[in-house]
Amino acid sequence: MAKLLSIRVRLILLVLVPSILYLGTSIYLLQQSKSHTEVLASSLYETTDKSTSLILNADRDMYQALTAYQLLVSGTLNAEDKTKQLKVLAENIEQTNTRVGQAHDILKAKGLLQVAHMETKATIDQNVDGFQTSFDQWVKEANAVVQSGAVGKGVINDAKLTATFEKGREGMNQIGEILDDYAKTSIEEIQSKIKKTEQAVYISIALLILVLTISGGIVISMIMRTVKAIMLVTSQVAAGDLRHEAKTKYAKDELGKITESVDTMVLKIKGLIGTIAHNTQFVQDASVELSDSSKESASAAEHVATNIQEMTHDVEAQARSSQETSRAIEEMAIGIQRVAENSSVMADHSSLTSKHATLGNDLLSKLQQQIANMLASVEQLSQTVLSLTRKSDQIGLIASSITTFANQTNLLSLNASIEAARAGEHGKGFNVVANEIRKLAAQSIESADGINQLIHETRVEITSVSDSMNATKQEAISGSTMMQEVNQSFHTIMASVTQIVTQIHETSAITEQMSASSEEISATMDQSASSTTHILMKSQNVAAATEQQLAMMQNIAAASEQLRSVVNTLNESVAYFKIA
């Protein structure tokens, strides 16, 4: 069965078995701890603590009932206090019965009523019954005493009633002791179970370690045996010893397959080395012969390639020269063509310039005549301004005379007024005439003053116009002189333009003839360059083919040398191995 299991399955089992055991142990421990914890909580809290608390509270209620009874029979209470204590007695009796009943129900639900006291061997159920009997009897007797109205220390210290009360309380105390003993016993049992669980865990861990150690040792031993065998074979192969004999039987697992594969590999290498050793000599002879032939072919091809390269260089130089000459002639033809076109354009522009120069000369002549006319007009206008100046001076003299006459008339009218005043009544009419004359004289003076003012303004304006006319006259004289100089320059320009037009027409005819000749030369050079380029292409093709052949021969030679080197290396490598 173990032989059928592979190494992988064994390793998987080696991992799974401890994992499963560890998982099962952990689950078991968790369940045990949970169970013990639940038991402990249920026993100590829900059962012991709660029940004990109820029992203690019931015991306290009993004492409170006893105290209320003693107060009632003491005879020291008034009616109100007595009623109050009767109520307290009834309530404590009821609470005692209720709490004892609750504790009884809890213990019954947990199945603890038959737990016995360690000394008296009385069970909880028996103690509850004894308490209930004694307490009911005490309640009955105490109520009877209270209803009878008996009072005094004898009633309070009634031995029989006190014994009945203590007997019931004794049952309560035994129940508390039973619960304490039960809790202590439960804890001891849980601790004992925990110890047992720990022992089981330790034992399972020890078994697990033992199983892992044994199974791991077995698997490791198997793996190491196989590894050592493989290392021995591979070290022999590395040392060149291929005389290893394959096994006849192998294991069915992966280790057996690895051993079988290594033995098969050694056998294949042994066969391969034998084949290589057998064929190496043939390859060596062929490589020597191929190397010699390739060297001779390479030498001849190199000689041919050298001659073809020299011819190619010469043809290339001739082709470049032809191309450069053709390109220079084409450029010269283009330049001549442009010169011819520019000459034609210049001839046209020169003719147009000559026409415009003639027209400009005519316009200058007309302008010069107009400037002369304008100068004459300015001269005439200057004479007119001088005449106006003289006439304004004459008007000024006349205005001065009028002013003088007006002043004299004013004096005469003043004298006439004086004489009229002397004449008295006969001089009144003459006085009126004298006043009117004086008014006319005043108006004449005012008019003369206005005329003098206007004459003064006119003189100022005439003086300004005269200055402007003199400046205009000088500018017109300067413009006339400049126009004469421009007219002379235009005559010179017209003569030069006429001569340039004649020369440009002659140059245009010459350049057109040169352009036609250059086009014929360019066509001839293009044809020559095309032929040279065709020859160059063919020579380049031949050179490329020769160079390719030379390169191939060199590659063959290099390959044959490399093949010889490989054969030598193979011989050395094969000699390293021992196959027989």
Side-chain angles (χ1 to χ4, degrees), residues 220-499:
I220 291 172
S221 177
M222 294 173 61
I223 293 173
M224 290 305 298
R225 283 199 301 269
T226 304
V227 170
K228 287 180 179 179
I230 293 173
M231 288 176 62
L232 178 62
V233 174
T234 53
S235 62
Q236 290 176 354
V237 173
D241 188 2
L242 299 177
R243 292 173 295 182
H244 173 71
E245 297 295 333
K247 296 181 180 180
T248 58
K249 187 176 181 182
Y250 299 96
K252 300 298 182 180
D253 54 10
E254 284 81 354
L255 296 176
K257 291 182 180 180
I258 291 173
T259 304
E260 185 178 2
S261 299
V262 171
D263 291 342
T264 304
M265 179 185 68
V266 173
L267 291 177
K268 294 292 183 180
I269 293 174
K270 185 176 181 180
L272 178 62
I273 295 299
T275 303
I276 292 173
H278 183 265
N279 295 325
T280 301
Q281 188 62 39
F282 296 102
V283 175
Q284 185 175 6
D285 296 337
S287 64
V288 171
E289 184 178 357
L290 178 61
S291 178
D292 295 337
S293 299
S294 63
K295 287 180 179 179
E296 293 177 358
S297 299
S299 178
E302 185 176 1
H303 181 69
V304 174
T306 302
N307 294 329
I308 291 175
Q309 286 179 353
E310 292 176 356
M311 183 185 69
T312 302
H313 289 316
D314 294 337
V315 173
E316 287 179 352
Q318 183 181 1
R320 284 195 296 270
S321 299
S322 299
Q323 290 177 354
E324 291 176 358
T325 304
S326 176
R327 185 164 54 252
I329 292 172
E330 288 178 357
E331 292 177 355
M332 184 177 68
I334 294 171
I336 292 170
Q337 183 66 30
R338 290 181 178 175
V339 170
E341 293 175 355
N342 292 333
S343 298
S344 297
V345 174
M346 288 174 65
D348 295 337
H349 284 292
S350 297
S351 299
L352 184 61
T353 303
S354 179
K355 291 179 182 179
H356 284 290
T358 303
L359 181 60
N361 190 22
D362 295 338
L363 293 174
L364 283 174
S365 297
K366 292 180 180 179
L367 181 60
Q368 188 175 6
Q369 184 64 35
Q370 288 179 358
I371 290 173
N373 295 333
M374 184 179 66
L375 185 60
S377 298
V378 170
E379 183 67 25
Q380 186 178 0
L381 182 60
S382 179
Q383 295 297 327
T384 303
V385 169
L386 290 174
S387 178
L388 288 173
T389 301
R390 289 193 298 270
K391 289 180 180 181
S392 65
D393 291 337
Q394 292 175 2
I395 293 170
L397 293 175
I398 295 169
S400 296
S401 298
I402 291 171
T403 302
T404 302
F405 294 156
N407 288 328
Q408 292 177 359
T409 302
N410 189 20
L411 291 173
L412 291 173
S413 65
L414 182 60
N415 291 329
S417 296
I418 294 170
E419 291 298 328
R422 288 178 181 178
E425 187 67 29
H426 297 286
K428 289 183 179 180
F430 187 73
N431 190 19
V432 173
V433 174
N435 290 330
E436 292 297 326
I437 290 171
R438 189 169 56 250
K439 291 179 180 178
L440 289 174
Q443 291 178 358
S444 296
I445 291 171
E446 290 178 359
S447 298
D449 290 337
I451 291 170
N452 286 326
Q453 183 67 29
L454 291 174
I455 289 171
H456 177 71
E457 293 176 357
T458 302
R459 283 178 179 177
V460 172
E461 292 178 357
I462 288 172
T463 301
S464 176
V465 171
S466 178
D467 294 336
S468 298
M469 291 303 297
N470 290 328
T472 303
K473 183 178 179 181
Q474 293 296 326
E475 294 292 333
I477 293 170
S478 299
S480 178
T481 303
M482 292 175 66
M483 289 304 297
Q484 289 177 359
E485 293 176 358
V486 171
N487 192 9
Q488 184 63 33
S489 298
F490 260 97
H491 282 296
T492 303
I493 291 170
M494 285 179 63
S496 298
V497 168
T498 302
Q499 187 178 0

